[in-house]
Amino acid sequence: MSGASALGADGLELLRNEPSGATTAFVAEPDDPVLIGHYPGFPVQPGVYLVEAADRTARLWADGAGLGAGLELVAMDRCRFRRPVFPGDQVSTAVTVDISEEGGLLTAKASALTVSGAVADIRLRYRRTLAATAPTPEGEAQ
């Protein structure tokens, strides 16, 4: 994603980064001004925060695996919000990653949780651009 971040530049903490995936966490800040209008009298965190957390977690994993260059989000294959995230909730987002043998496609399956249980299931699909996978003059892929 580019542009403004719903979670802010430092809003996501990396908890785990392993060959199969990564886990991050963030807190639904009670003083976030977006909660005032989402929804009046019943503030809940917008689902876009959960999608962004899944995307950023997948990208942190990809960077650690040396696959982050040229990574492009091409689809959100699934997004199911199971329950609301309330101000003050800590959300952890666990992402497992599968890499396709063909075309460098990457699928990230994310589960977002609070102490109350699952809040979202999200599946994102990425591809690596040709520039990122093209050989360098030295003959090694970037």
Side-chain angles (χ1 to χ4, degrees):
M1 290 186 172
S2 62
S5 167
L7 295 173
D10 300 323
L12 203 62
E13 178 185 3
L14 181 62
L15 301 178
R16 174 187 67 91
N17 196 358
E18 299 175 347
S20 61
T23 302
T24 59
F26 70 94
V27 175
E29 297 294 338
D31 59 348
D32 188 333
V34 77
L35 295 176
I36 294 169
H38 194 266
Y39 296 93
F42 186 73
V44 297
Q45 188 150 51
V48 69
Y49 283 71
L50 303 174
V51 175
E52 182 180 346
D55 177 59
R56 286 176 58 182
T57 304
R59 290 179 185 278
L60 285 170
W61 175 86
D63 287 344
L67 301 172
L71 196 63
E72 180 180 34
L73 177 64
V74 294
M76 182 166 55
D77 294 331
R78 176 182 170 90
C79 185
R80 181 172 182 186
F81 299 115
R82 296 182 173 274
R83 65 179 60 179
V85 174
F86 297 107
D89 282 350
Q90 180 169 348
V91 179
S92 65
T93 304
V95 171
T96 57
V97 179
D98 294 317
I99 301 173
S100 168
E101 296 294 325
E102 297 178 17
L105 293 177
L106 188 147
T107 301
K109 297 176 184 175
S111 297
L113 307 166
T114 67
V115 293
S116 300
V119 293
D121 296 316
I122 300 165
R123 186 169 41 226
L124 303 173
R125 192 166 11 116
Y126 300 85
R127 72 174 168 225
R128 295 187 71 208
T129 61
L130 292 176
T133 57
T136 63
E138 294 80 29
E140 297 181 17
Q142 294 179 352

